[in-house]
Amino acid sequence: MCLFFYFRDRKEWADLEPVPQDDGPNPVVKIAYSEKFTDVFDMFRALLKNDEKSERAFALTAEAIELNAANYTVWHYRRVLLQALDKDLREEMKYITAIIEDQPKNYQVWHHRRMVVEWLNDPSEELQFVAEILSQDAKNYHAWQHRQWVMQEYKLWDGELEYVEELLEEDVRNNSAWNQRHFVISHTRGYSDSAILEREVQYTLKQIKKAPHNESAWNYLNGILQDGGLSSYPGLLEQVTELQDTCSSPYLTAFLVDLYEDALETNSSSYDQQETLNKALELCKLLAEEKDTIRREYWNYVSRSLQNTEYITDMLQV
Amino acid sequence: GTQVKDVVIKPEAPNTLLLDKHADYIAAYGSKKDDYEYTLSEYLRMSGIYWGLTVMDLMGQLSRMNREEIIEFIKSCQHDCGGISASTGHDPHLLYTLSAVQILSLYDSINVIDVDKVVDYVKGLQQEDGSFAGDKWGEIDTRFSFCAVATLALLGKLDVINMDKAVGFVLSCMNFDGGFGCRPGSESHAGQIYCCTGFLSITGQLHQVNADLLGWWLCERQLPSGGLNGRPEKLPDVCYSWWVLASLKIIGRIHWIDKAKLRSFILACQDEETGGFADRPGDMVDPFHTLFGVAGLSLLGDEQIKPVNPVFCMPEDVLQRIGLQPDFQPSNRGKLSSSTNDWHTV
């Protein structure tokens, strides 16, 4: 660490009385701070106390942020100063870009960026910036929230599906990307368009063939077909059953159980009810006893439910 | 390939519960003369105190903490607007307002602060669409919806907000996989799910959750090591033993987790030398993970620990004293109706 010229020694700061950390009347805590940290935050507290709105205060917030970017009070103060001093918000964008690149997993930095974008009413750099951050960590929850906000607020939907596909090419198990896929389509063409739905079903099955043990893909497939019902979607049972030999996984088996369950619940005439029940119970047993034993309680529950469903269906037929 | 992202628990990892060590760790936390980490976390001090006190109370060791000093500290953190800050010299925020109210509830000293002003502060953060901002700067997150109703429930003042809109906003954050994110469209995440199911429990709206679908997503968080992650393809972390487990408890499906395996994961996260729990075996401990490790074990039924309330993450006996009783239905093993934990003030 290079030599630091403490604020308490700087003549331009001589008029301020540094305010030490106050941990209460009888501090249980006696902490040895690093000298620089003490210096900067004592000075910060002095500025806050005097409610000073000056360039030197603004400069100090940057020092404080560098030492502790999670300190939300410092960010608040910086925003107050940005407005009071009518600072150049383009410069602030450069600043917050650098901070986020350094510390991308922090609520305050992203919220600050959002505020600056709102003040400038200019989202033009945002998608590019978020893509850069995601290239370092494709699942950064804050980054994805920011991206979704920008897209919705400024209606920037074009090209996003392509972007999501790129990410899924890189990592087909990226749950955030699958979520984003759902987000984009729900807000644009929508899943009630049967051509879109079919495209998505086929896309998902294709990804499953590449990586069968992929929770996200199966959750997505299930999710988009929930409304219509799994058992009535044309050709779905055949396509999934076909995958069993080469692409078996507990998720595939679970999906079949869900599909059979749907057939039973809807009392679908395309399915032999008794045979379907037997198949479903067999799969639940396989999962509980062999393929997914850690969740045996869940599979036993599903078995019992299936049998209850059949009972109710029988009752209604009487 | 089928490489599952997970940890491997070493055979020499701790496998018994070291409660005394954890109590010593928490009692001493923050009293070390040389602790940079403590300084750095000043911006969340109120929550840090809540974590420490709650875990000590769960272990029956609350008396070792400095009640008077903490109460004075909280008084000094209430601002004119009614909101409470993380520490002196910080700005008020909903997160720390909840933590403060939780601490004062533990200490049965809620009236040392201006309760009416707290209620006004919380009410004032509700937005047009029913959501809640964390503070005057407007960050929206379902975490804050939870903080708002939990705070008001502890104060017996749930009726001041627009309940329909608040519920509507949280439900709009329900995703295709049954989970919840921080805002509508946000990826399902166990922490957010805890906040939303907690919210829906407090507001009597658990029947709106698809308990089977969400329960399935939640029990899918369990990895071969026994630990729980927060969303698909992520590593296990002991704090998810809380977020996931409490959510499952709230929706009546806690039995869908392999309890023995989870318990052994949680125990492996202890540090035998220093006391406390880390996020995963072998890492550095901290009070946050210590609380959630112990609270998770309580939910799993460990009798050495007091029963913990899954909505508030506070000892059940505290909530009973306040009069916040769950309208509890035993977990329903049939599919025909979903189990609910509906809260109302007695």
Side-chain angles (χ1 to χ4, degrees):
Chain A
M1 166 135 90
C2 58
L3 287 174
F4 180 69
F5 189 12
Y6 294 125
F7 282 92
R8 62 177 183 246
D9 298 328
R10 303 187 196 187
K11 64 178 191 320
E12 321 86 74
W13 289 82
D15 61 300
L16 272 178
E17 186 65 46
V19 176
Q21 173 83 0
D22 175 16
D23 286 311
N26 290 304
V28 173
V29 177
K30 283 260 184 218
I31 305 159
Y33 298 74
S34 87
E35 287 276 346
K36 179 175 177 178
F37 195 95
T38 313
D39 181 55
V40 168
F41 277 93
D42 285 354
M43 217 44 99
F44 176 71
R45 279 182 278 272
L47 292 167
L48 268 190
K49 202 170 168 192
N50 296 345
D51 197 25
E52 181 174 315
K53 304 212 169 65
S54 64
E55 282 299 331
R56 70 176 181 179
F58 187 73
L60 190 81
T61 61
E63 296 279 355
I65 284 163
E66 196 189 324
L67 290 168
N68 191 355
N71 188 321
Y72 66 99
T73 302
V74 178
W75 284 107
H76 290 189
Y77 196 54
R78 189 176 174 90
R79 281 195 287 276
V80 165
L81 292 170
L82 278 169
Q83 295 191 302
L85 303 173
D86 198 26
K87 299 293 287 182
D88 182 345
L89 293 177
R90 300 271 166 208
E91 284 302 312
E92 189 65 4
M93 277 298 280
K94 289 187 193 156
Y95 174 73
I96 194 62
T97 295
I99 300 287
I100 293 176
E101 276 167 358
D102 192 45
Q103 301 185 60
K105 291 198 178 178
N106 163 323
Y107 286 103
Q108 283 71 37
V109 301
W110 286 99
H111 186 67
H112 189 76
R113 187 184 180 95
R114 174 171 161 161
M115 299 243 47
V116 177
V117 169
E118 279 181 346
W119 287 342
L120 283 170
N121 198 30
D122 178 8
S124 60
E125 291 173 27
E126 297 316 287
L127 296 183
Q128 165 95 333
F129 173 71
V130 176
E132 231 174 83
I133 298 295
L134 289 174
S135 70
Q136 291 158 40
D137 174 2
K139 301 179 191 182
N140 182 325
Y141 199 75
H142 305 285
W144 281 110
Q145 298 337 304
H146 188 77
R147 195 175 182 86
Q148 288 193 342
W149 169 72
V150 169
M151 286 172 57
Q152 251 191 310
E153 186 72 12
Y154 298 98
K155 317 229 180 316
L156 299 171
W157 304 102
D158 288 346
E160 188 67 1
L161 200 54
E162 287 77 2
Y163 175 65
V164 166
E165 283 194 21
E166 265 170 49
L167 290 179
L168 289 174
E169 278 298 305
E170 286 166 30
D171 178 8
V172 72
R173 295 192 181 89
N174 184 339
N175 194 64
S176 308
W178 283 101
N179 182 72
Q180 187 73 350
R181 195 174 180 94
H182 193 273
F183 178 73
V184 175
I185 293 172
S186 322
H187 283 92
T188 51
R189 296 277 294 278
Y191 291 94
S192 46
D193 179 333
S194 59
I196 298 291
L197 186 56
E198 176 62 8
R199 181 195 75 195
E200 290 304 299
V201 169
Q202 295 315 319
Y203 175 82
T204 311
L205 288 172
K206 189 166 157 215
Q207 305 318 311
I208 286 169
K209 285 185 192 131
K210 281 192 215 165
H213 201 275
N214 183 352
E215 191 192 335
S216 305
W218 285 105
N219 281 352
Y220 182 77
L221 187 62
N222 203 319
I224 62 179
L225 292 169
Q226 281 274 302
D227 284 346
L230 297 181
S231 65
S232 53
Y233 195 82
L236 184 64
L237 176 59
E238 288 73 20
Q239 287 190 73
V240 173
T241 316
E242 235 172 66
L243 289 177
Q244 266 186 307
D245 293 328
T246 49
C247 304
S248 187
S249 72
Y251 303 114
L252 187 151
T253 315
F255 188 86
L256 283 174
V257 171
D258 281 335
L259 195 153
Y260 292 142
E261 191 170 36
D262 182 62
L264 293 168
E265 278 181 350
T266 57
N267 200 15
S268 170
S269 53
S270 324
Y271 294 77
D272 178 315
Q273 293 288 302
Q274 190 59 56
E275 198 187 306
T276 303
L277 176 63
N278 291 343
K279 279 196 212 165
L281 290 176
E282 206 180 288
L283 292 180
C284 285
K285 188 160 186 263
L286 180 66
L287 287 160
E289 293 177 6
E290 235 181 274
K291 300 287 183 188
D292 197 24
T293 57
I294 204 167
R295 274 167 282 277
R296 74 186 86 77
E297 286 298 321
Y298 174 75
W299 296 116
N300 294 339
Y301 168 84
V302 176
S303 280
R304 286 192 302 271
S305 307
L306 287 169
Q307 292 169 87
N308 286 344
T309 309
E310 217 241 333
Y311 169 81
I312 294 299
T313 310
D314 278 349
M315 284 242 331
L316 292 172
Q317 283 169 350
V318 166
Chain B
T2 54
Q3 280 224 324
V4 179
K5 230 172 162 175
D6 198 1
V7 300
V8 177
I9 299 178
K10 299 192 181 133
E12 62 268 20
N15 58 12
T16 54
L17 182 55
L18 309 163
L19 278 184
D20 289 337
K21 294 229 83 152
H22 304 317
D24 289 345
Y25 166 69
I26 297 290
Y29 186 80
S31 65
K32 290 180 223 133
K33 290 187 188 303
D34 189 338
D35 203 289
Y36 194 52
E37 176 202 295
Y38 186 80
T39 316
L40 272 187
S41 59
E42 185 196 86
Y43 71 92
L44 54 69
R45 181 67 61 240
M46 196 61 73
S47 295
I49 294 174
Y50 153 72
W51 301 327
L53 293 185
T54 303
V55 73
M56 289 299 265
D57 196 357
L58 288 174
M59 297 189 289
Q61 304 277 320
L62 186 61
S63 55
R64 288 169 72 174
M65 307 303 275
N66 193 328
R67 178 173 191 264
E68 274 60 49
E69 184 184 90
I70 289 166
I71 289 177
E72 284 307 307
F73 172 72
I74 293 175
K75 280 159 80 171
S76 75
C77 289
Q78 184 169 31
H79 290 242
D80 291 338
C81 62
I84 299 173
S85 52
S87 183
T88 39
H90 282 262
D91 291 334
H93 196 287
L94 198 44
L95 291 168
Y96 309 114
T97 303
L98 172 61
S99 292
V101 169
Q102 286 171 305
I103 294 165
L104 293 174
S105 300
L106 281 183
Y107 279 144
D108 197 9
S109 300
I110 197 66
N111 291 307
V112 304
I113 52 170
D114 186 339
V115 169
D116 288 338
K117 292 222 90 177
V118 171
V119 172
D120 284 341
Y121 176 72
V122 174
K123 180 179 174 169
L125 290 169
Q126 186 168 28
Q127 310 295 300
E128 278 295 310
D129 62 1
S131 66
F132 283 85
D135 63 17
K136 68 184 185 196
W137 292 98
E139 184 191 357
I140 304 296
D141 191 323
T142 46
R143 286 182 298 146
F144 307 143
S145 300
F146 172 76
C147 290
V149 300
T151 303
L152 294 175
L154 288 170
L155 300 176
K157 299 279 191 176
L158 266 178
D159 51 348
V160 305
I161 56 168
N162 185 327
M163 191 60 78
D164 287 342
K165 289 208 138 182
V167 171
F169 176 76
V170 168
L171 292 178
S172 75
C173 299
M174 197 188 297
N175 294 320
F176 62 88
D177 51 19
F180 295 83
C182 72
R183 289 189 283 276
S186 301
E187 187 185 358
S188 297
H189 181 289
Q192 310 291 151
I193 289 170
Y194 163 77
C195 292
C196 293
T197 51
F199 172 97
L200 292 168
S201 171
I202 291 170
T203 57
Q205 298 291 316
L206 274 172
H207 54 278
Q208 311 252 26
V209 169
N210 185 335
D212 284 347
L213 182 62
L214 179 56
W216 159 242
W217 190 94
L218 287 168
C219 76
E220 273 286 293
R221 296 307 107 236
Q222 190 162 32
L223 295 162
S225 65
L228 307 178
N229 63 19
R231 39 182 176 143
E233 290 296 311
K234 286 253 160 183
L235 287 171
D237 181 326
V238 100
C239 68
Y240 291 114
S241 309
W242 176 259
W243 310 125
V244 174
L245 212 59
S247 302
L248 280 167
K249 179 80 177 177
I250 291 169
I251 63 173
R253 277 135 177 82
I254 197 172
H255 51 285
W256 288 358
I257 287 289
D258 183 321
K259 292 186 177 181
K261 290 200 112 188
L262 177 58
R263 181 180 166 86
S264 69
F265 174 85
I266 298 174
L267 292 177
C269 294
Q270 298 174 106
D271 186 317
E272 282 169 322
E273 276 176 42
T274 60
F277 289 71
D279 59 353
R280 50 190 75 97
D283 282 355
M284 291 240 342
V285 304
D286 61 52
F288 174 86
H289 290 96
T290 303
L291 168 61
F292 296 121
V294 170
L297 289 171
S298 173
L299 279 184
L300 290 175
D302 191 305
E303 289 180 348
Q304 294 172 82
I305 307 166
K306 280 196 199 175
V308 69
N309 180 276
V311 172
F312 291 91
C313 193
M314 291 164 66
E316 284 284 12
D317 58 17
V318 173
L319 294 159
Q320 271 158 37
R321 188 212 331 122
I322 295 176
L324 273 175
Q325 294 287 348
D327 185 10
F328 199 84
Q329 288 173 28
S331 68
N332 193 332
R333 292 184 178 239
K335 208 175 184 222
L336 303 174
S337 61
S338 49
S339 154
T340 57
N341 268 0
D342 282 339
W343 290 85
H344 52 258
T345 311
V346 167

